[in-house]
Amino acid sequence: MAQPRYTRIDNTRRPASSYCSTVTIVVFVALCLVGIWMMTSSSLGPDQSVDVVPLDNKDGIKNQMTPPEDAAGETPKEEKKGDGDESSSKEEKTKEESTSSGETKSETEGLKDNPEEENPDSNEKQTKPETEDNESGEDGENQKKFEADGIEKKSSDDETGNEGAETKPEKENSKTNVEQESQPKNETSGGAQLELVNETIAQNGSFSTQATESKKEKEAQKSSGDQIDFKWKVCNTTAGPDYIPCLDNVQAIRSLKSTKHYEHRERHCPDSPPTLTGEYLTFPGGGTQFKHGALHYIDFIQESVSDIAWGKRSRVVLDVGCGVASFGGFLFDRDVITMSLAPKDEHEAQVQFALERGIPAISAVMGTTRLPFPGRVFDIVHCARCRVPWHIEGGKLLLELNRVLRPGGFFVWSATPVYQKKTEDVGIWKAMSELTKKMCWELISINKDKINGIGVATYKKPTSNECYTSRSEQNPPICAESDDPNASWKVPLQACMHTAPEDKTQRGSQWPEQWPARLDKPPYWLSSSQTGVYGKAAPEDFSADYEHWKRVVTKSYLKGLGINWGTVRNVMDMKAVYGGFAAALREMKVWVMNVVPIDSPDTLAIIYERGLFGIYHDWCESFSTYPRSYDLLHADHLFSKLKQRCNLTAVVAEVDRVLRPEGKLIVRDDAETIQEVEAIVKAMKWEVRMTYSKEKEGLLSVQKSIWRPEEVETLTYAIAT
């Protein structure tokens, strides 16, 4: 019976040489195919990527290429893959192509025992295209962003949305391999691996390669900070949670010879600044003069004197005896900012209430010293039932208003002497009429608001010296030429007037441009012959500073610090120069108290000229505000200068007093000072949100906690017995 020629039961045997020849041919063909594949891999262009599996993963290659079957004949489930998973995915494709050409499993395994021999340069070629893509893509944008600040970013693991950013790519490797296989063949370099790198960068807002360095730096700073032993105590004072060190020095107040000029409401700072205060808040009572709404009252004032032009000609206002600052609060609706001040009142903490409402206010009094403002800066000064005796002692207090009021500015007075006929009120009105006439103030308008039942008198300060020189009696006298109207830090009041500037290049000789044009342009009186704070010509210095802060705020502060700006209202720039930081925040629903330290260049008048406001202060002393008043404090190269003459720990403790719980502090300074400040705030259990550093410069963003120490220290000078 005939049988098929080629079957297992075929008794015909092939020669051994024929079998060897067949094997040799197969091996030769396989080697040729592998060689062609290697040549193709080594010649990949910059738009392609190669992933090389490390040596310690070669067993994984075998398993991925030919998954073994278990005893039941099923393929085991895929295990978690390592760093070489993407490469192994491509190796699977290569194996399939090779097998279709007659390549056997054993031959393929033999070729893969040493992957580096396949293409020793492939890893280098892969790295270069990815780096180029990073520099030209999102990494490049982030690099430009932080180069604009002059700082390289070192991000913290506790940034918003950044937790676990370093480990995320490893967790997503298995998913990435699947996505890579489904991608088009003409995709640009980097593939899924580069996408993961970019995703990490987007979360961190910096280079992914900085993660390890950031972690080491934070650990180093933490270890160095932990070596310093900070001991904090809660201050026990009569004022309790509303304690303001320079306004509640009971011992100093008792030693005053007189209080008839409100000396007891002025600043009397303790010799040793306290470390911490309590955490409570009290709310005042008190009435209001605007029974039918402050907006009606504000509109009534402009109807009486159209030249006031709220939010255009009149932008910066001083409100004396502000109460709960409703006047200044509603002026925000007219695009006007108001510096509201009132003395600290132990039974009516109205300034505290104003700040809690998000309205600018300071604790101050018109007593024996000048207000902490430059001369000729306010567009309007307002007093409604402020109970200030303007007319006494030669009109010292009203003459102080004359010093800070801009030539051509208005004094709006709506106290009871304006509209009531009581004997005392009539006498005050007569005295005020005589005094204002001698001061050459012109009574522009006196009208009665029938709805609120009050009267408003509006005076205008002269813009020239003609009236001063034509007075029959030089009383009040003209101040000596040596008297600087801008000198105001603890300078005693004098009953004299400063003349109006006559030189058209001097500040005060012209009215500033209308708002908002005055914000962006250098003041007319800044000359190119003057050298600015940063070494350029003053107008150029001003513009460069503004551009710098617009760039920093837009690219870093609003996006890169993890701050929810919707919770920020009261902001303080602890070391303002030209007010560029505040100007850059103009579109935000915040207000900024610009503080010019007394040992810094005196640029506060420039800040006022551009339609912003601020105050002089010595940061070695306590600030004149209630505890927990501000949502965000900003300090640009302040602490490094302060620590040369102040106790840095006490200064940071004052920051803690002023800042609300969960408030933010942004510090830009040298790296050494940044490390010191970070150590101090960590000792107070603050949260370090972010740290940047580059070339010995740094930036620190921290958030105050609700922690208070358990130990209490009684401040004897602040205890009333």
Side-chain angles (χ1 to χ4, degrees):
M1 181 178 179
Q3 292 182 347
R5 185 176 179 180
Y6 300 108
T7 64
R8 295 177 61 115
I9 61 174
D10 186 3
N11 293 326
T12 305
R13 299 191 60 179
R14 293 176 179 273
S17 60
S18 176
Y19 178 80
C20 292
S21 300
T22 303
V23 173
T24 301
I25 293 171
V26 171
V27 172
F28 177 78
V29 171
L31 289 173
C32 290
L33 292 172
V34 172
I36 294 172
W37 175 78
M38 290 173 63
M39 293 175 64
T40 304
S41 301
S42 64
S43 62
L44 290 174
D47 292 336
Q48 296 172 290
S49 64
V50 176
D51 296 311
V52 179
V53 183
L55 287 172
D56 57 359
N57 197 33
K58 59 185 178 183
D59 292 335
I61 298 174
K62 297 178 182 179
N63 293 336
Q64 291 174 35
M65 291 176 62
T66 310
E69 295 183 356
D70 59 11
E74 298 177 354
T75 302
K77 295 182 179 179
E78 182 180 2
E79 298 179 354
K80 184 178 180 180
K81 300 177 182 179
D83 293 337
D85 293 344
E86 297 179 22
S87 300
S88 61
S89 177
K90 293 186 177 181
E91 297 293 353
E92 290 179 13
K93 293 183 178 181
T94 305
K95 179 257 179 183
E96 293 172 1
E97 294 173 358
S98 300
T99 304
S100 65
S101 301
E103 183 179 42
T104 63
K105 171 184 175 183
S106 60
E107 292 164 347
T108 306
E109 289 176 353
L111 291 172
K112 299 298 181 183
D113 282 346
N114 193 350
E116 288 189 344
E117 292 181 359
E118 298 175 7
N119 189 0
D121 297 329
S122 60
N123 191 41
E124 180 181 351
K125 291 179 179 293
Q126 175 196 8
T127 304
K128 185 175 181 180
E130 289 184 0
T131 304
E132 292 173 353
D133 282 353
N134 280 337
E135 292 176 352
S136 62
E138 189 165 358
D139 284 1
E141 294 178 1
N142 284 306
Q143 177 67 14
K144 292 177 182 178
K145 165 177 152 182
F146 293 105
E147 284 179 352
D149 296 353
I151 292 173
E152 181 177 350
K153 180 176 178 182
K154 299 193 304 176
S155 60
S156 169
D157 289 342
D158 53 8
E159 285 183 58
T160 304
N162 292 349
E163 296 182 4
E166 295 178 68
T167 60
K168 187 172 182 180
E170 294 181 6
K171 295 179 181 179
E172 295 187 359
N173 271 348
S174 58
K175 183 178 76 170
T176 302
N177 290 334
V178 176
E179 293 175 349
Q180 186 178 10
E181 292 176 1
S182 64
Q183 290 174 351
K185 293 183 179 180
N186 62 350
E187 186 177 14
T188 57
S189 71
Q193 183 177 359
L194 181 57
E195 290 175 5
L196 288 175
V197 173
N198 284 335
E199 182 179 0
T200 303
I201 293 167
Q203 291 176 342
N204 290 339
S206 184
F207 298 103
S208 61
T209 57
Q210 292 294 313
T212 302
E213 295 180 12
S214 298
K215 185 176 181 181
K216 291 180 179 179
E217 178 67 18
K218 286 183 292 182
E219 291 174 353
Q221 293 183 4
K222 182 178 180 181
S223 62
S224 63
D226 292 342
Q227 295 174 0
I228 305 175
D229 185 20
F230 295 98
K231 293 183 179 179
W232 305 105
K233 298 179 182 179
V234 171
C235 301
N236 178 26
T237 65
T238 299
D242 294 334
Y243 173 60
I244 303 176
C246 290
L247 298 181
D248 291 312
N249 190 340
V250 177
Q251 189 177 64
I253 292 173
R254 284 176 175 171
S255 64
L256 294 173
K257 296 180 179 180
S258 171
T259 59
K260 69 177 183 178
H261 296 110
Y262 297 93
E263 291 92 339
H264 59 301
R265 298 296 182 218
E266 295 180 320
R267 292 173 58 85
H268 305 282
C269 298
D271 296 332
S272 300
T275 52
L276 283 174
T277 57
E279 69 276 14
Y280 303 104
L281 179 69
T282 58
F283 293 90
T288 177
Q289 180 164 325
F290 318 123
K291 297 179 180 179
H292 293 275
L295 282 177
H296 168 78
Y297 173 75
I298 290 168
D299 291 338
F300 173 77
I301 292 173
Q302 180 164 310
E303 290 171 1
S304 302
V305 183
S306 59
D307 286 346
I308 283 180
W310 297 120
K312 295 180 180 179
R313 183 184 188 273
S314 300
R315 163 65 181 175
V316 186
V317 174
L318 174 65
D319 187 15
V320 181
C322 62
V324 295
S326 294
F327 179 69
F330 282 97
L331 275 175
F332 275 119
D333 291 345
R334 299 294 184 263
D335 222 358
V336 174
I337 56 173
T338 306
M339 177 73 75
S340 301
L341 65 86
K344 185 180 181 186
D345 193 325
E346 53 278 311
H347 66 277
E348 296 288 353
Q350 295 181 333
V351 168
Q352 185 184 36
F353 189 34
L355 290 164
E356 191 67 16
R357 298 171 69 190
I359 303 172
I362 61 170
S363 293
V365 66
M366 302 202 65
T368 63
T369 61
R370 290 179 176 178
L371 296 172
F373 313 120
R376 304 189 296 265
V377 292
F378 288 100
D379 304 334
I380 290 179
V381 176
H382 173 259
C383 166
R385 280 175 44 184
C386 54
R387 295 181 296 179
V388 177
W390 301 114
H391 59 290
I392 66 172
E393 296 186 350
K396 273 188 178 181
L397 301 182
L398 195 63
L399 289 169
E400 172 61 3
L401 293 190
N402 186 76
R403 182 186 70 86
V404 299
L405 186 61
R406 192 183 298 279
F410 297 102
F411 173 58
V412 179
W413 189 36
S414 60
T416 54
V418 177
Y419 57 90
Q420 291 188 359
K421 300 300 180 181
K422 296 180 181 179
T423 303
E424 182 182 7
D425 293 326
V426 171
I428 294 175
W429 174 257
K430 182 179 179 180
M432 279 287 287
S433 299
E434 293 176 356
L435 177 61
T436 54
K437 185 177 181 180
K438 293 177 181 179
M439 293 171 56
C440 297
W441 282 14
E442 180 186 0
L443 180 60
I444 298 296
S445 170
I446 178 168
N447 291 315
K448 187 171 183 178
D449 179 2
K450 296 181 180 180
I451 295 179
N452 283 314
I454 62 172
V456 179
T458 305
Y459 299 86
K460 185 176 183 179
K461 180 180 176 179
T463 58
S464 70
N465 296 314
E466 182 180 354
C467 175
Y468 296 151
T469 57
S470 63
R471 292 181 301 167
S472 58
E473 183 181 355
Q474 295 296 310
N475 184 30
I478 300 298
C479 297
E481 293 184 2
S482 60
D483 191 317
D484 184 359
N486 297 316
S488 60
W489 183 251
K490 299 182 179 179
V491 175
L493 290 178
Q494 297 186 54
C496 66
M497 295 186 299
H498 295 90
T499 58
E502 296 178 338
D503 187 341
K504 296 301 181 182
T505 63
Q506 286 185 301
R507 180 174 67 85
S509 61
Q510 303 177 40
W511 195 264
E513 292 197 40
Q514 289 195 351
W515 177 263
R518 63 193 285 188
L519 178 71
D520 303 331
K521 297 181 180 179
Y524 66 89
W525 43 268
L526 278 185
S527 171
S528 297
S529 61
Q530 296 174 283
T531 302
V533 174
Y534 303 112
K536 300 179 181 179
E540 183 182 353
D541 218 42
F542 173 95
S543 299
D545 176 78
Y546 186 31
E547 293 302 319
H548 164 73
W549 285 114
K550 285 196 294 185
R551 184 170 60 250
V552 170
V553 168
T554 301
K555 295 187 176 181
S556 180
Y557 287 7
L558 296 184
K559 299 179 181 179
L561 299 187
I563 295 175
N564 178 6
W565 286 87
T567 64
V568 176
R569 172 65 177 175
N570 304 357
V571 179
M572 180 187 292
D573 191 354
M574 299 177 68
K575 185 176 179 288
V577 179
Y578 298 120
F581 170 66
L585 290 173
R586 182 202 163 196
E587 299 300 328
M588 305 294 293
K589 293 183 178 180
V590 303
W591 59 267
V592 180
M593 180 68 72
N594 294 282
V595 180
V596 174
I598 60 171
D599 58 345
S600 296
D602 187 359
T603 55
L604 189 53
I606 299 176
I607 293 173
Y608 275 92
E609 194 77 6
R610 68 190 306 183
L612 305 173
F613 63 14
I615 190 172
Y616 294 119
H617 185 61
D618 181 359
W619 281 113
C620 292
E621 300 178 358
S622 172
F623 192 77
S624 295
T625 190
Y626 280 83
R628 304 163 303 278
S629 300
Y630 285 81
D631 306 315
L632 186 147
L633 268 60
H634 180 260
D636 181 20
H637 289 82
L638 170 68
F639 296 121
S640 56
K641 189 173 183 180
L642 281 177
K643 68 181 183 181
Q644 300 175 13
R645 63 185 186 92
C646 308
N647 182 338
L648 184 60
T649 303
V651 175
V652 178
E654 172 65 4
V655 170
D656 177 270
R657 186 189 73 86
V658 171
L659 202 58
R660 300 184 193 277
E662 299 186 351
K664 285 44 172 209
L665 169 67
I666 302 174
V667 183
R668 304 171 73 92
D669 222 309
D670 62 69
E672 179 184 354
T673 303
I674 289 289
Q675 187 173 349
E676 294 178 41
V677 174
E678 183 175 352
I680 296 173
V681 297
K682 281 183 176 179
M684 293 190 290
K685 316 300 182 186
W686 285 29
E687 179 185 355
V688 178
R689 304 297 300 274
M690 191 171 293
T691 304
Y692 303 167
S693 69
K694 182 180 181 181
E695 298 178 357
K696 298 183 180 180
E697 289 292 315
L699 186 149
L700 178 68
S701 175
V702 291
Q703 177 174 300
K704 178 181 174 180
S705 69
I706 60 174
W707 174 83
R708 296 288 92 177
E710 297 181 357
E711 191 173 353
V712 177
E713 178 181 358
T714 298
L715 303 181
T716 56
Y717 60 81
I719 295 293
T721 57

